[in-house]
């Protein structure tokens, strides 16, 4: 079904958004999501373990769109998450995630929802920030985007930012900058204070992301030399 929905323009432009080489069919994301939702109806009655196995098969294909379907299906099961599922999600990051889009789709929703349900796993998430795997380091930050907007886990957000503060990888820099930006929506002053304490050493990429939602006067102060 994905192959049949290939869009020539999407296929020709997809690689432009990634520095690393990706495999893709060239299907627009809304179309992928529609197909994913339609096909999930035919498997939602199955055991969670069976659906996770199907997700794993999709991840193994290496195709971007199939990773999105896997992420959609794993998130669709969020009401059935159990603590032991964390290891499954971590394993997918370790073995299959190889680009920012797959990383963010999995972490923003599946892993982010899991952490909200089982906050005792924040310690393991914080350990991701120390990984040699760039995608795991990015995952430590982007998993908390949606909780951050709700004002949750500020202490952990700042600790993850401390760990990633001087990271040389631009996609990790963007990831934790995005997390700080999301946190600023509910915790403006603590995030501004954090930026001001660290702006002299924080990569400019992270700084620009972090202050994007701040009022103009605070942005100006943050950008001052």
């Amino acid at each position: 079904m994905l192959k049949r929905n290939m869009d020539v323009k999407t296929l020709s432009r997809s690689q432009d958004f990634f520095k690393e080489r990706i495999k893709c069919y060239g299907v627009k994301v809304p179309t992928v999501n529609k197909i994913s939702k339609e096909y999930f109806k035919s498997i939602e009655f199955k055991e969670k373990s069976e659906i996770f196995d199907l997700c794993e098969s999709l991840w193994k294909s290496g195709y971007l769109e199939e990773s999105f379907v896997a992420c959609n299906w794993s998130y669709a099961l969020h009401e059935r998450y159990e603590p032991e599922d964390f290891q499954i999600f971590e394993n997918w990051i370790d073995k299959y995630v190889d680009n920012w889009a797959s990383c963010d789709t999995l972490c923003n929703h599946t892993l982010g929802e899991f952490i909200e349900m089982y906050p005792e796993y924040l310690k393991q998430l914080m350990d991701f920030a120390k990984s040699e795997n760039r995608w795991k380091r990015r995952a430590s930050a982007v998993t908390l985007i949606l909780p951050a907007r709700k004002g949750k886990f500020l202490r952990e957000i700042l600790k993850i930012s401390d760990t990633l503060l001087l990271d040389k990888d631009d996609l990790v820099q963007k990831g934790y900058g995005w997390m700080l930006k999301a946190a600023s929506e509910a915790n403006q002053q603590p995030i501004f204070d954090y930026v001001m304490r660290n702006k002299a050493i924080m990569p400019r990429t992270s700084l620009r992301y972090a202050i994007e939602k701040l009022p103009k006067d605070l942005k100006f102060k943050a950008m001052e030399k």
Side-chain angles (χ1 to χ4, degrees):
M1 181 60 78
L2 287 170
K3 289 180 183 177
R4 292 206 298 269
N5 282 273
M6 185 268 285
D7 176 76
V8 175
K9 187 176 179 181
T10 299
L11 181 63
S12 67
R13 295 182 59 191
S14 292
Q15 186 60 58
D16 296 344
F17 298 98
F18 302 89
K19 291 181 181 178
E20 54 283 332
R21 178 60 53 182
I22 61 162
K23 283 172 63 178
C24 69
Y25 295 115
V27 184
K28 294 178 179 179
V29 173
T31 303
V32 174
N33 292 340
K34 184 178 179 182
I35 291 170
S36 169
K37 193 172 183 179
E38 193 60 37
Y39 273 78
F40 187 74
K41 293 175 185 176
S42 66
I43 63 166
E44 61 184 336
F45 64 90
K46 293 179 181 288
E47 293 291 328
K48 182 179 67 174
S49 60
E50 289 183 78
I51 299 175
F52 278 169
D53 285 345
L54 291 171
C55 291
E56 180 111 11
S57 296
L58 289 165
W59 277 111
K60 282 180 181 176
S61 77
Y63 277 90
L64 185 67
E65 294 91 345
E66 293 194 30
S67 78
F68 292 166
V69 174
C71 293
N72 289 344
W73 286 359
S74 60
Y75 178 67
L77 297 172
H78 66 269
E79 293 182 356
R80 294 154 65 181
Y81 289 168
E82 298 168 280
E84 55 267 29
D85 295 334
F86 183 86
Q87 189 57 55
I88 294 171
F89 304 147
E90 181 178 7
N91 186 56
W92 290 348
I93 298 170
D94 284 332
K95 290 173 67 175
Y96 306 121
V97 169
D98 60 5
N99 65 80
W100 63 263
S102 295
C103 180
D104 296 359
T105 306
L106 175 63
C107 295
N108 283 173
H109 304 290
T110 295
L111 195 52
E113 184 69 26
F114 177 91
I115 291 294
E116 287 201 62
M117 291 173 67
Y118 300 105
E120 61 268 29
Y121 279 83
L122 278 162
K123 173 64 172 64
Q124 285 91 324
L125 183 70
M126 291 164 68
D127 286 341
F128 283 15
K130 303 169 188 173
S131 174
E132 292 184 7
N133 181 343
R134 68 190 300 207
W135 305 117
K136 211 162 183 179
R137 299 200 306 278
R138 182 176 171 97
S140 71
V142 299
T143 293
L144 297 182
I145 298 297
L146 299 184
R149 288 175 181 161
K150 302 172 190 174
K152 295 184 176 182
F153 310 139
L154 179 62
R155 174 178 164 274
E156 290 78 12
I157 285 166
L158 296 181
K159 285 199 166 187
I160 289 170
S161 297
D162 282 344
T163 304
L164 299 177
L165 188 63
L166 301 178
D167 202 292
K168 300 281 194 258
D169 192 302
D170 69 317
L171 288 173
V172 177
Q173 294 171 7
K174 290 174 182 176
Y176 89 79
W178 182 19
M179 175 180 65
L180 290 171
K181 174 174 69 173
S184 76
E185 294 183 38
N187 286 289
Q188 182 183 104
Q189 192 61 46
I191 297 303
F192 175 69
D193 292 343
Y194 182 86
V195 169
M196 292 300 289
R197 283 197 307 275
N198 293 287
K199 70 174 189 171
I201 59 171
M202 184 183 288
R204 297 302 273 184
T205 298
S206 304
L207 178 63
R208 289 192 191 97
Y209 268 75
I211 66 174
E212 196 174 314
K213 295 277 187 178
L214 296 179
K216 285 185 178 179
D217 60 324
L218 298 186
K219 275 188 192 177
F220 182 79
K221 288 179 182 177
M223 293 298 287
E224 278 181 331
K225 296 290 187 184

